[in-house]
Amino acid sequence: SIFLKNKIHYSNKNVDYILKFNRIFNGGFESGGRYYESSGLIQNLSSIERGKITINGNNVIEADFKHIHMSFLYDYLDVKMPQDFDPYLIEPEKLGLEYTPEIAMQLRKLCKSSMCTLICSKNYAQCYGSIKYEFIENKKSGMYSLLSDELNVHSFIKIIKEHNFEIGKYFHSGIGLELQRKDSDIAELGINHFTKKDVVVIPIHDSFIVEKQYEQELKNIMIKSHKDIMGSNGNCRVEVK
């Protein structure tokens, strides 16, 4: 295994990781297919902590497809997403919340997970229940500590839909698992490219970690893989964290 031949070190715990990935499909080979690291050693770290990993003693970078599933939906519609548009960024004031960068960040995080629920769910009731449960449970852990306990989930869903009206036909469509298959097929192409060269690449769903010397190569292969799977790069955006 490539992970046995290369040293992956996490300095915060002063440990070397031997990683093993499995590709998990959800209900058939047309659904899901994402790569999961069996012990969650790296995928469960924050992006800041992942940046502290070294591979063969070298610093790493992580490159990410920016809001990839939303870009897929715009691709399906053959619509260009505005360059400065963030599908997950809604104004706290619309929910009666004060604007601070910290509140906006927590609301964006909730919006991002809720958008996933919106496109994975098959009906409104399922969507509402999942979002409300996710909010309550993660608020207990402190993730949404700055958001009101009385957050109106109905209003929240309505605002998300208004903000993303262009892709409204996909809400409650259950298309989410199909999109996961797309992003995992893109990931597979990138992984195969590097493993054939005996270069470590660590997938974090729709982002990838490599040694810094491979930064430009990684960005190039991500863009190429996206086009190979989607047939277009109209809404493909790659950024380095």
Side-chain angles (χ1 to χ4, degrees):
S1 167
I2 192 171
F3 294 116
L4 292 174
K5 294 185 288 184
N6 295 270
K7 184 177 180 180
I8 302 168
H9 185 74
Y10 179 39
S11 59
N12 268 23
K13 291 189 176 180
N14 193 28
V15 294
D16 295 332
Y17 287 152
I18 298 176
L19 305 178
K20 180 179 179 182
F21 285 86
N22 296 307
R23 193 175 183 189
I24 307 298
F25 294 89
N26 305 85
F29 287 115
E30 296 305 314
S31 301
R34 282 182 157 181
Y35 288 87
Y36 291 90
E37 199 277 305
S38 56
S39 59
L41 293 171
I42 291 181
Q43 288 182 326
N44 289 338
L45 295 176
S46 69
S47 60
I48 292 174
E49 291 303 308
R50 292 196 297 267
K52 298 175 183 177
I53 291 165
T54 60
I55 299 175
N56 298 321
N58 300 315
N59 291 333
V60 301
I61 61 95
E62 182 174 347
D64 175 55
F65 283 111
K66 196 171 182 180
H67 34 67
I68 189 169
H69 285 184
M70 300 306 106
S71 74
F72 286 168
L73 297 179
Y74 275 82
D75 286 340
Y76 283 176
L77 295 169
D78 198 23
V79 173
K80 181 72 173 177
M81 184 187 295
Q83 189 66 30
D84 59 351
F85 179 69
D86 185 338
Y88 309 129
L89 189 63
I90 60 177
E91 299 168 11
E93 295 91 336
K94 289 186 176 180
L95 284 163
L97 299 168
E98 176 189 1
Y99 176 84
T100 69
E102 295 77 17
I103 288 175
M105 182 176 67
Q106 289 192 8
L107 190 58
R108 186 184 185 280
K109 184 176 290 188
L110 178 60
C111 184
K112 185 174 182 178
S113 65
S114 298
M115 281 290 287
C116 178
T117 302
L118 272 164
I119 61 176
C120 285
S121 62
K122 293 292 184 68
N123 56 63
Y124 183 85
Q126 181 186 58
C127 172
Y128 173 82
S130 295
I131 291 174
K132 186 169 184 179
Y133 177 81
E134 190 263 350
F135 172 68
I136 291 171
E137 290 303 305
N138 283 305
K139 188 161 177 54
K140 292 176 184 176
S141 71
M143 183 181 295
Y144 302 129
S145 59
L146 300 177
L147 304 185
S148 170
D149 290 344
E150 307 304 318
L151 180 75
N152 188 316
V153 176
H154 289 297
S155 296
F156 179 58
I157 293 172
K158 181 174 181 289
I159 290 167
I160 293 176
K161 288 181 174 180
E162 290 172 350
H163 184 60
N164 292 278
F165 68 93
E166 290 272 18
I167 56 172
K169 65 179 285 185
Y170 295 110
F171 295 142
H172 315 305
S173 67
I175 201 171
L177 289 178
E178 176 186 321
L179 303 183
Q180 283 188 20
R181 176 58 196 261
K182 294 286 188 185
D183 78 50
S184 68
D185 285 346
I186 292 170
E188 183 177 35
L189 292 179
I191 291 167
N192 288 344
H193 170 84
F194 284 104
T195 53
K196 286 176 182 177
K197 300 175 64 174
D198 208 23
V199 172
V200 171
V201 58
I202 302 172
I204 314 291
H205 302 318
D206 53 7
S207 68
F208 306 88
I209 296 172
V210 294
E211 295 171 62
K212 186 168 178 54
Q213 62 181 305
Y214 299 109
E215 177 178 339
Q216 190 58 53
E217 184 175 354
L218 174 61
K219 289 191 286 188
N220 291 343
I221 198 62
M222 287 172 69
I223 292 168
K224 180 182 184 301
S225 298
H226 184 283
K227 188 171 184 179
D228 287 346
I229 296 300
M230 296 302 296
S232 165
N233 277 333
N235 290 299
C236 176
R237 302 180 195 171
V238 173
E239 60 182 10
V240 175
K241 297 182 178 181

